[in-house]
Amino acid sequence: MRTFLVLICSLALASLALGAEEGKKKEKEQPKKKGAQAGQVSQPAGKRTGAGKPTGAGKPMGVGKPTEVGKPTGAGSKKTSTGAYEGKGGKTSTGAYEGKAGKPAKGGKATGAGKPAEAATATTAGKATVKGKATATGKPFKPQHFNLANKPKPEVAPAVTFQQNRHIEGSQNWQGSNYTVFRNYSSEWHDQGWWRQRYNRIVVIGGGAYYWNAGYWYPAWGYDQANSYYPYDGPVYGYNDLPPDQVIANVQATLQQQGYYQGEVDGLLGPQTRAAIADYQRANGLAETAAIDQPTLESLGMA
């Protein structure tokens, strides 16, 4: 009997101990369930609370998934001024990328519709404009040969009346060695024999004779006693071994192209041609000689 009672008591104690352990386990498991329930409240990154739709135009980023280099992150995928990206197409002014993520855009393209605007209105290469007329280009000029009438045209280029020892008016104000021949020029009248004894290169053009000396053509007054037609009394700078009328014609053609001369290319250095030369010289900061001198031909690309 006593043994039976002891057995019953042992079983009861064992049951109590087992119940106590189970209670402790339940108490331990209870906080874990609460923590799990609390964790269900937070939403995955990139999703909006409530409606559950992804934010912005792109796909939501998963929790713990690292973003790839070169792909847009966040809403709209637009490039900011700090170096983000601008979604598809259109390079921004800060050097963004276009098309696929991470692919650099081609340089020189601007954002927005259309092509980038050109700076102001592009001028002709190497030319500037002064009151609608082009200034010196510095580009070498190709000499041309013109079919000239080779006869006097007093109605367009009146003949100069000879005056012994006449100097070029205003030449004393032209400074520099390039104008020495103009400052020193003085009209002389001699017969054909006198000119031939001193100069071995003389040409007769349009009723007037010209002699060659040290890179310039000069009027040989008196060479032809019957005909002495000179629209200009002074030196003409030589160019490309051309006779004086062809030099003048090339200057006229060049000034005509640049808008300074509107007359005929006739090879005569008359008042209209000289006025055009003076206009060009003034626009390009040259001495206003109204003559064909070395600085003017160099400025025109003809020397």
Side-chain angles (χ1 to χ4, degrees):
M1 187 64 161
R2 183 180 294 176
T3 302
F4 179 74
L5 291 172
V6 171
L7 183 58
I8 290 172
C9 289
S10 298
L11 290 172
L13 290 172
S15 297
L16 290 171
L18 183 60
E21 289 180 3
E22 289 180 357
K24 290 180 179 180
K25 288 181 179 180
K26 289 180 179 180
E27 290 176 358
K28 291 179 179 181
E29 290 177 357
Q30 189 68 19
K32 291 181 179 181
K33 290 181 179 180
K34 291 179 179 179
Q37 292 175 358
Q40 292 176 357
V41 177
S42 60
Q43 297 291 333
K47 291 184 177 181
R48 295 175 59 182
T49 59
K53 293 183 179 179
T55 60
K59 295 180 179 180
M61 302 299 296
V63 177
K65 183 179 179 180
T67 58
E68 294 181 12
V69 177
K71 289 186 177 181
T73 60
S77 300
K78 285 196 173 180
K79 186 176 188 337
T80 64
S81 59
T82 55
Y85 292 85
E86 193 191 12
K88 295 183 179 180
K91 183 182 175 187
T92 65
S93 59
T94 52
Y97 294 80
E98 64 180 355
K100 295 181 181 180
K103 183 179 179 180
K106 294 180 181 180
K109 292 184 178 180
T111 56
K115 297 180 180 179
E118 297 180 0
T121 301
T123 56
T124 305
K127 293 182 180 181
T129 55
V130 178
K131 295 182 180 179
K133 297 178 180 179
T135 60
T137 64
K139 184 178 180 181
F141 178 83
K142 186 177 179 180
Q144 304 176 63
H145 180 81
F146 296 89
N147 294 322
L148 305 174
N150 193 22
K151 63 180 182 179
K153 290 175 60 178
E155 70 280 2
V156 176
V160 176
T161 303
F162 175 77
Q163 183 180 340
Q164 186 71 29
N165 298 324
R166 178 172 52 193
H167 294 277
I168 298 174
E169 185 179 356
S171 61
Q172 69 277 7
N173 299 320
W174 306 341
Q175 303 300 316
S177 59
N178 289 323
Y179 305 104
T180 301
V181 294
F182 294 91
R183 292 193 297 267
N184 294 341
Y185 176 74
S186 177
S187 300
E188 297 181 69
W189 187 283
H190 302 286
D191 60 21
Q192 187 175 126
W194 188 93
W195 291 113
R196 284 189 175 277
Q197 288 178 0
R198 288 161 177 79
Y199 304 102
N200 56 14
R201 188 180 182 187
I202 300 175
V203 296
V204 178
I205 297 170
Y210 294 84
Y211 69 92
W212 175 260
N213 184 30
Y216 288 83
W217 289 104
Y218 297 84
W221 288 99
Y223 184 88
D224 186 348
Q225 300 290 335
N227 298 302
S228 294
Y229 171 73
Y230 299 100
Y232 169 69
D233 185 13
V236 174
Y237 186 69
Y239 166 62
N240 205 49
D241 202 33
L242 295 174
D245 60 336
Q246 292 292 329
V247 175
I248 297 168
N250 275 270
V251 171
Q252 288 174 327
T254 307
L255 295 175
Q256 198 176 62
Q257 291 171 6
Q258 298 191 28
Y260 291 93
Y261 179 64
Q262 285 77 39
E264 180 185 357
V265 176
D266 53 17
L268 299 174
L269 194 54
Q272 188 176 3
T273 302
R274 296 191 64 204
I277 293 172
D279 287 343
Y280 176 84
Q281 291 169 334
R282 188 182 310 109
N284 290 276
L286 302 171
E288 293 182 41
T289 64
I292 297 178
D293 52 52
Q294 182 177 353
T296 301
L297 289 193
E298 288 177 348
S299 178
L300 289 169
M302 295 175 61

